[in-house]
Amino acid sequence: QVQLVESGGGLVQPGGSLRLSCLASRSILSMVRMGWYRQAPGKERESVAVITSGGTTNYAESVNGRFTIFRENSKNTVYLQMDSLKPEDTAVYFCNIKGVFLGSPLIGDYWGQGTQVTVSS
């Protein structure tokens, strides 16, 4: 079983920045997709940013130009740099990694436990 451990959430003022990290417990041999999703109270989980194995990125319209997703393959980690944060960015943020991990020949699709991001003055 692969575990994804997120970190970097917290309380920040509007206009501030945070960087979320998501570390996989096993080496990623072949990545299909890495992504960040969020869920605000009373709302459904939504896609925030996705990066594919080829490096193509896709962002939700609401965060485009403010958030950046990038990966560090050697550290089995995906990041979400969040700048110019707004109160409406407040949510629990989840990472997701789909790929082949050390120890199994099959493609796995795993989620982190979530990290709270609160944007408030």
Side-chain angles (χ1 to χ4, degrees):
Q1 185 73 5
V2 175
Q3 293 184 339
L4 303 184
V5 180
E6 297 134 336
S7 59
L11 173 64
V12 63
Q13 292 187 342
S17 297
L18 284 175
R19 177 177 292 185
L20 304 182
S21 301
C22 174
L23 170 65
S25 61
R26 294 190 181 186
S27 295
I28 304 171
L29 303 180
S30 177
M31 188 269 282
V32 175
R33 180 194 69 238
M34 292 176 163
W36 287 94
Y37 299 75
R38 67 186 181 187
Q39 187 168 17
K43 295 187 177 181
E44 293 187 353
R45 187 174 299 188
E46 63 174 350
S47 175
V48 175
V50 175
I51 184 167
T52 68
S53 59
T56 300
T57 56
N58 186 273
Y59 296 93
E61 186 175 347
S62 60
V63 307
N64 198 23
R66 299 187 297 121
F67 291 9
T68 303
I69 185 171
F70 60 100
R71 64 183 191 256
E72 197 163 1
N73 293 337
S74 63
K75 295 185 178 181
N76 303 307
T77 302
V78 59
Y79 303 90
L80 185 67
Q81 177 67 39
M82 305 186 293
D83 299 317
S84 302
L85 282 161
K86 304 176 180 180
E88 50 264 43
D89 294 318
T90 296
V92 178
Y93 284 70
F94 300 87
C95 68
N96 168 255
I97 299 178
K98 183 176 182 179
V100 178
F101 295 80
L102 182 67
S104 174
L106 304 176
I107 294 176
D109 196 344
Y110 298 97
W111 291 84
Q113 79 288 350
T115 184
Q116 177 70 46
V117 172
T118 302
V119 185
S120 175
S121 55

